[in-house]
Amino acid sequence: MLEQETNPTISKSTGLPRKRFYRARAHSNPLSDSHFPVPISPSHVDYSLHYPHFFPPADQVNCSKKIQFADIGCGFGGLLISLSTLFPEVLMIGMELRDKVTEYVKERILALRVSNPGQYQNISVVRTNSMKYIPNYFEKGQLTKMFFLFPDPHFKEKNHRRRVISPHLLDEYAYVLGVGGIIYTITDVEELGDWMRSCLENHPMFEALTKEELEADPVVKLLSSATEEGQKVARNGGQTFQAVFRRIVPTS
Amino acid sequence: MEEKQIEEKETNRNVEVAPALIAVHPNQNSVAVAIGSDLRVYDLLGDCAVSLPDDSSPPFHKDSIRAIRYGANGKLFVSAGDDKVVKIWSAESWKCISAVCSEKRVSAVAISNDGQHVCFADKFGVVWVVDLRDINGNQAVVDKKAAPLLAHYCSIITSLEFSPDGQFIISADRDFKIRVTVFPKGPLDGAHEIQSFCLGHTEFVSCLDFVCTVDYPQGYLVSGSGDSTVRLWDIISGSLLDTCEVGAKDI
């Protein structure tokens, strides 16, 4: 199908979607009741839709893989794309609230799959409100990594409860992360960095990674370099604040 | 314990009236009725109305009561609603023993089986817990502070229940979800360990209850929903055991 010739949103030369046709405001109201489909339960997530290479629609019985990495607020997909080739056998999903941005990532993944046969089959994106519907997508202890890169700081005190990392939401993230699973957060806003670190430190089901463990983890370097937001911060010579924690069994 | 809701529709006025609520004492000693902001108790054993002296401040509810229930084997009674005050009563002396201020209007209440804790949910989806362990019935009214226990992000909690063995607290919301959380020894620090989610309803969950049998004293969770089904759950795993369609059937 020669759709690309008449479709200006996809670049003729690279086959990749052009960002300027998918521009969206940086902020989206997580409190509004957006109308997108939500799976009734994790067993209702359509794996053959997201990962057709691993789950051919014809026979769904063979593959028992489950999504293990989740990029919450994946934006334009930079992190997923970097992680895809680093962990080619792991299924990953990006969650994004903004409609246009989700479409962009969908197109980007499809184009990459075409131009790199056999690759990028393990990543996908879904438009959803991860602050409300994470338990609908993932079973207890299913995830091994969760990413929160450059989340919205919600500066005003009254909007702090809209922050994606909060003491109450960490209960849900601890539920979907298996013991030993890791939560990665990074921001260029110092106050938000302090907030996220403090929420994680005070939560009984998370403990901080040691410096040695951080240095040994190849994913940590990607936090500041793999995404468009991270690259923008680096270009402007800004500082970033990371908090990387491991899910533990609470000591009662 | 039985709780029924009767809708009172005002056809001529635009003012919304809260549904009237009924709660029955577990041993059928008394019946409590809440109509708007009014709370009335009838003593079934003595066959007479009970007058409720309320020395707490502010006395009596000032706005619609949204949730009432008996708990702790009939020793305690809780009423709460739109005036953002949760009143805890002794169901034996009918004195208000504690008043707790809530930041938001209250949508659901629950009492732990041992009577040591009262939980209530506000309209923002936060469940709060109050510690009653240091209260004795002879004290003057104690104003207590509630601590946040857990939250359903930006959802209205429609029902709160303790499991029969007191190990778990179950919370249901209007976004079709039921959450089963371990109720810790020190709940004032929050209940962070989620045991399971019972997912399957396709509309708001309206009510929860437990059904205990001789073979299974821990009880099965039963839930009702706007999707016209009643469902049976195993709370340890979150598995849906059975679904009963109660919508209109074609005959």
Side-chain angles (χ1 to χ4, degrees):
Chain A
M1 280 222 292
L2 295 173
E3 253 184 359
Q4 290 181 357
E5 294 213 15
T6 47
N7 185 355
T9 58
I10 310 279
S11 150
K12 273 190 248 188
S13 48
T14 61
L16 293 170
R18 282 194 170 118
K19 238 187 241 175
R20 68 179 153 106
F21 292 99
Y22 296 89
R23 280 290 167 221
R25 292 177 67 240
H27 300 279
S28 194
N29 185 355
L31 304 178
S32 72
D33 269 342
S34 313
H35 299 291
F36 40 78
V38 177
I40 299 171
S41 75
S43 55
H44 289 82
V45 174
D46 189 349
Y47 275 72
S48 66
L49 176 72
H50 290 288
Y51 313 100
H53 175 85
F54 289 96
F55 297 84
D59 79 332
Q60 270 175 306
V61 197
N62 276 348
C63 191
S64 63
K65 273 191 198 296
K66 289 201 153 60
I67 295 168
Q68 287 183 283
F69 294 0
D71 185 359
I72 310 300
C74 65
F76 292 93
L79 178 69
L80 281 174
I81 287 165
S82 302
L83 286 173
S84 174
T85 45
L86 213 58
F87 300 89
E89 291 301 308
V90 174
L91 296 183
M92 317 173 186
I93 198 148
M95 296 187 140
E96 174 55 53
L97 191 59
R98 295 167 289 175
D99 199 4
K100 278 203 208 130
V101 177
T102 317
E103 284 312 303
Y104 173 88
V105 181
K106 273 192 196 147
E107 296 291 338
R108 194 173 178 190
I109 293 174
L110 287 173
L112 284 170
R113 285 177 179 175
V114 165
S115 53
N116 300 277
Q119 286 188 306
Y120 301 105
Q121 295 290 343
N122 59 336
I123 56 173
S124 187
V125 67
V126 65
R127 183 185 176 221
T128 191
N129 183 343
S130 53
M131 293 167 83
K132 285 176 89 148
Y133 301 117
I134 270 186
N136 295 67
Y137 282 91
F138 310 117
E139 291 164 8
K140 186 174 190 179
Q142 180 178 326
L143 299 180
T144 54
K145 291 192 196 298
M146 275 183 102
F147 297 91
F148 296 84
L149 271 51
F150 303 96
D152 193 326
H154 291 295
F155 291 108
K156 293 186 194 166
E157 181 94 37
K158 69 175 171 94
N159 289 338
H160 281 185
R161 59 186 205 90
R162 298 192 199 180
R163 286 179 167 173
V164 72
I165 298 282
S166 75
H168 291 308
L169 282 169
L170 281 176
D171 294 346
E172 288 195 11
Y173 305 153
Y175 171 81
V176 293
L177 263 175
V179 174
I182 303 183
I183 183 169
Y184 299 81
T185 72
I186 188 172
T187 178
D188 58 332
V189 177
E190 184 166 8
E191 193 261 312
L192 180 66
D194 290 341
W195 164 278
M196 295 198 289
R197 172 170 290 278
S198 136
C199 286
L200 283 160
E201 269 166 7
N202 291 331
H203 197 283
M205 287 156 92
F206 289 103
E207 78 177 0
L209 262 64
T210 64
K211 232 171 89 184
E212 292 76 27
E213 287 170 322
L214 287 172
E215 268 155 34
D217 188 342
V219 171
V220 171
K221 294 167 204 55
L222 294 177
L223 297 182
S224 41
S225 63
T227 63
E228 284 79 359
E229 191 67 35
Q231 288 156 10
K232 184 176 20 159
V233 170
R235 270 201 306 276
N236 298 336
Q239 212 186 339
T240 57
F241 307 92
Q242 289 177 1
V244 181
F245 279 64
R246 173 186 297 109
R247 160 68 157 103
I248 56 170
V249 176
T251 46
S252 35
Chain B
M1 189 194 83
E2 240 183 281
E3 204 175 86
K4 276 185 270 178
Q5 292 196 354
I6 303 167
E7 286 224 55
E8 283 184 324
K9 284 231 163 72
E10 288 279 353
T11 43
N12 297 329
R13 290 158 42 183
N14 293 331
V15 176
E16 187 207 294
V17 176
L21 307 168
I22 299 180
V24 181
H25 187 283
N27 297 333
Q28 277 112 58
N29 294 353
S30 56
V31 175
V33 174
I35 301 169
S37 60
D38 220 353
L39 182 63
R40 297 179 206 165
V41 179
Y42 196 83
D43 180 346
L44 291 172
L45 294 176
D47 198 16
C48 58
V50 174
S51 75
L52 299 165
D54 190 347
D55 298 322
S56 64
S57 56
F60 308 111
H61 285 288
K62 293 270 180 290
D63 204 339
S64 301
I65 299 174
R66 295 287 176 178
I68 55 170
R69 70 194 298 175
Y70 287 86
N73 294 320
K75 295 208 193 62
L76 293 175
F77 181 83
V78 178
S79 59
D82 292 352
D83 69 352
K84 305 183 195 171
V85 179
V86 178
K87 288 187 185 283
I88 303 169
W89 310 77
S90 155
E92 285 154 348
S93 64
W94 286 110
K95 278 196 346 210
C96 177
I97 58 178
S98 184
V100 186
C101 284
S102 169
E103 288 169 44
K104 305 283 174 199
R105 291 179 288 164
V106 176
S107 60
V109 295
I111 308 174
S112 68
N113 304 320
D114 55 19
Q116 291 182 355
H117 297 97
V118 165
C119 291
F120 61 92
D122 70 24
K123 282 271 150 77
F124 269 13
V126 181
V127 178
W128 301 81
V129 62
V130 183
D131 190 342
L132 297 177
R133 284 175 288 190
D134 55 357
I135 289 188
N136 69 58
N138 300 323
Q139 276 176 314
V141 180
V142 179
D143 278 341
K144 280 255 164 193
K145 277 209 74 172
L149 186 73
L150 58 91
H152 287 225
Y153 187 72
C154 286
S155 195
I156 296 175
I157 291 182
T158 52
S159 188
L160 267 182
E161 282 296 328
F162 279 91
S163 63
D165 57 11
Q167 268 198 46
F168 302 104
I169 181 161
I170 328 294
S171 41
D173 67 28
R174 67 151 190 150
D175 288 297
F176 327 167
K177 294 212 283 286
I178 298 168
R179 169 174 155 173
V180 180
T181 315
V182 173
F183 193 74
K185 300 277 176 299
L188 296 179
D189 293 327
H192 299 286
E193 194 183 337
I194 301 176
Q195 174 65 30
S196 71
F197 277 93
C198 299
L199 302 176
H201 277 301
T202 55
E203 262 302 338
F204 60 87
V205 182
S206 51
C207 48
L208 296 173
D209 209 338
F210 274 90
V211 149
C212 301
T213 64
V214 168
D215 309 319
Y216 204 69
Q218 311 95 297
Y220 294 104
L221 178 69
V222 181
S223 61
S225 159
D227 63 11
S228 306
T229 66
V230 173
R231 294 182 195 242
L232 191 70
W233 310 89
D234 164 33
I235 56 170
I236 304 297
S237 63
S239 315
L240 173 60
L241 300 173
D242 202 3
T243 304
C244 178
E245 298 275 347
V246 296
K249 286 193 161 58
D250 293 330
I251 299 173

